[in-house]
Amino acid sequence: MRQAMSEAKRTTVVIGAGIVGLTVALELQAAGHHVVVVDPGSPGGRQSASYGHGAWINPASVMPTSLPGLWKQVPGMMRDPVGPFYISRLDMVRLLPWLLRFLWAGSSWTKVETFARQRFELCKGAVEHHAALAEAAGASGMLRREGLVTVFRSREIFARGKKDAAIRESLGIQLGELDAEALRAREPDLADGYTFASVVKDGAYLADTAGYCRALAALLASRGGEVINGRALDFEFDGDRLAAVRTDNSRIDCDTAVLAAGAHSLPLARKVGDRVSMASERGYHVQITGAAAGPRHSLILSDGKVAISPQPGGFRVAGQVELAPIDKAPNWRRADIMLHHAKRGIPALDLGLPEVRIDRWMGHRPSTPDGLPVVGYSSRSRHVIHAFGHGHAGPTMAPATARAVAALAQGRTPAIDLKPCSPRRFRWFNRA
Ligand SMILES: Cc1cc2nc3c(=O)[nH]c(=O)nc-3n(C[C@H](O)[C@H](O)[C@H](O)COP(=O)(O)OP(=O)(O)OC[C@H]3O[C@@H](n4cnc5c(N)ncnc54)[C@H](O)[C@@H]3O)c2cc1C
């Protein structure tokens, strides 16, 4: 039996060492808990979505994925061999309950506005929070506060997103703009066809997504926390009190547990009474090292829906949404679509050079139908707290989640309203 309980401090087990688990763990530690993070892989390792995402920490990431009329675009996206979305017919049937909830969540602009307001609260302060953590972890160089740029073929194409712009404006989010000349000065290798960019001026990106997770784990350990290897399997209760988290190789005594296992959280959530609607929106990346051309800063190609970001030794092209069961084998053709977009965005990119290396990766976005994470007390006990389901925006929403979880763990009222994030909201179709 593993004895992690400390006499003086409350012991909290955080299940999952992705960006959400680590950010939560550090907040709980700052609040005086002894924290044990448990994960079968290494912090921010290849098994986690936090290893290979698009690197954006975007305070303007308020729009949910499901929007009115989106379904009309789906057949076109599926027919396009380099399109951003794919689901097989069989998986469509398998994931039907999630898909229906997803369509319902985006069935009116009123609903979308409500979700956007809630997402806004979860995105607020993300860059500042990560900057403070990065500094404490000696990793300030990994957080680049250079603004986030989305490039378009023309200003007219950007201007078609009128509804998005109105929602952002209503929340006080102002985007900057770059004309063709300014864009060229910022990104000399970008294809000439991109002549306009919108800019989230206070956005930032992680220049080493996996390294940042490792740095956070090291910071936690340097302050007396523990990061241990193991797969959490169940919770042990003594009446209403949480007694321990059981893993495949140990039993960890604790007072509180936080479930932050990303897309893998569902079986454990069920053990504490919560049937959550969540699917893996699989995404892919290619990481290119040794190339002569590439981006100077992070950017999104709006037409390919891919993020291109400098990473150690080169750069990464990340994107794609493939809805499929979590245990299905990767379809590496989806990763190769990233190469197509890389070459289209950066025409001087020569992937044939002998020194060029390409690494392909697939990861699971833990996605709820309404684009909001699951944050709150479990149904079984206030000593098990959920912190998963951050979909496309885990790094961005991790800080607000961490602050809310720390408040819940201490019996305080969180600064943000967590009702929309309730694990119990999937019992009925959401009537926002
Ligand atoms: C291609 C792609 C691009 C993306 N781009 C962006 C972006 O630019 N900006 C952004 O904000 N977000 C982006 N995302 C989303 C982001 O990656 C996720 O929201 C985020 O990484 C989720 O973090 P997490 O900590 O919840 O989950 P993960 O990072 O997946 O971590 C979960 C951890 O739990 C562990 N675990 C699983 N089961 C157990 C168990 N039983 N016991 C213990 N541990 C367990 C896993 O091993 C894993 O380490 C992107 C995602 C993808 C795939």
Side-chain angles (χ1 to χ4, degrees):
M1 190 219 282
R2 200 196 138 77
Q3 289 286 343
M5 185 93 85
S6 136
E7 287 302 311
K9 292 182 172 184
R10 289 174 57 186
T11 295
T12 298
V13 171
V14 175
I15 300 170
I19 190 74
V20 174
L22 292 166
T23 311
V24 166
L26 283 158
E27 195 70 15
L28 287 166
Q29 189 179 53
H33 295 230
H34 175 66
V35 182
V36 181
V37 179
V38 60
D39 197 302
S42 57
R46 267 187 104 88
Q47 82 289 347
S48 67
S50 304
Y51 171 87
H53 56 78
W56 277 36
I57 296 172
N58 181 5
S61 179
V62 295
M63 296 302 285
T65 313
S66 183
L67 300 175
L70 179 72
W71 61 272
K72 289 186 212 151
Q73 299 168 27
V74 168
M77 287 191 226
M78 300 266 288
R79 272 195 303 273
D80 182 350
V82 293
F85 175 73
Y86 184 76
I87 181 170
S88 74
R89 286 204 183 134
L90 179 60
D91 292 336
M92 219 181 267
V93 176
R94 284 178 175 146
L95 297 172
L96 195 60
W98 186 94
L99 287 168
L100 290 175
R101 283 193 165 92
F102 177 82
L103 291 176
W104 176 250
S107 59
S108 77
W109 282 107
T110 313
K111 286 199 190 90
V112 169
E113 280 167 30
T114 306
F115 293 133
R117 267 198 303 281
Q118 291 156 349
R119 285 175 61 93
F120 181 55
E121 293 304 318
L122 288 155
C123 292
K124 263 190 203 162
V127 173
E128 293 73 15
H129 191 118
H130 280 300
L133 286 183
E135 191 182 350
S140 291
M142 293 183 192
L143 184 78
R144 304 263 168 90
R145 300 178 78 168
E146 299 170 353
L148 296 170
V149 158
T150 303
V151 303
F152 296 82
R153 299 262 167 202
S154 69
R155 196 182 191 293
E156 289 65 45
I157 295 174
F158 166 72
R160 283 181 203 152
K162 280 194 192 112
K163 275 282 186 189
D164 297 22
I167 290 175
R168 273 197 309 268
E169 232 163 75
S170 74
L171 295 168
I173 299 171
Q174 304 279 348
L175 297 187
E177 298 186 358
L178 296 179
D179 62 15
E181 198 184 334
L183 184 53
R184 213 60 53 224
R186 183 178 165 103
E187 289 296 350
D189 291 345
L190 187 69
D192 288 341
Y194 295 100
T195 58
F196 175 81
S198 69
V199 188
V200 182
K201 288 189 192 144
D202 53 354
Y205 75 94
L206 290 167
D208 183 353
T209 52
Y212 182 59
C213 289
R214 284 196 300 274
L216 295 187
L219 176 64
L220 185 87
S222 74
R223 292 174 170 175
E226 295 178 70
V227 181
I228 64 170
N229 189 271
R231 182 180 300 280
L233 299 177
D234 208 348
F235 304 95
E236 278 183 27
F237 289 92
D238 178 3
D240 274 349
R241 202 178 66 80
L242 178 68
V245 168
R246 203 155 44 75
T247 79
D248 54 356
N249 59 28
S250 67
R251 178 182 177 279
I252 313 169
D253 291 352
C254 59
D255 311 281
T256 307
V258 178
L259 177 54
H264 304 271
S265 300
L266 290 184
L268 285 165
R270 246 179 254 134
K271 295 213 183 253
V272 282
D274 293 310
R275 293 187 75 83
V276 168
S277 180
M278 184 168 74
S280 160
E281 278 189 60
R282 292 141 51 115
Y284 291 83
H285 85 212
V286 289
Q287 191 139 326
I288 300 168
T289 49
R296 306 298 191 271
H297 314 267
S298 186
L299 61 97
I300 281 184
L301 301 182
S302 60
D303 44 2
K305 298 199 188 330
V306 296
I308 306 186
S309 304
Q311 290 292 305
F315 64 96
R316 170 183 302 164
V317 189
Q320 287 286 307
V321 167
E322 182 190 36
L323 279 167
I326 198 157
D327 47 3
K328 195 168 173 175
N331 174 359
W332 294 119
R333 274 179 313 194
R334 307 304 304 173
D336 288 339
I337 294 172
M338 302 291 98
L339 290 176
H340 164 86
H341 290 302
K343 282 192 277 195
R344 217 167 45 117
I346 304 168
L349 182 63
D350 182 354
L351 296 174
L353 294 176
E355 55 273 33
V356 168
R357 295 280 173 276
I358 299 169
D359 181 42
R360 293 168 174 79
W361 173 87
M362 187 270 282
H364 302 280
R365 297 182 189 89
S367 294
T368 60
D370 55 19
L372 294 174
V374 177
V375 184
Y377 293 124
S378 71
S379 296
R380 167 76 174 79
S381 163
R382 288 166 78 92
H383 303 293
V384 178
I385 300 170
H386 296 310
F388 59 87
H390 293 77
H392 291 242
T396 305
M397 293 180 178
T401 301
R403 293 191 294 268
V405 168
L408 292 177
Q410 300 197 294
R412 288 188 282 111
T413 306
I416 55 171
D417 178 13
L418 286 181
K419 242 181 272 119
C421 301
S422 166
R424 289 161 286 282
R425 70 188 189 270
F426 306 100
R427 288 180 183 162
W428 311 105
F429 280 107
N430 203 324
R431 289 166 205 280

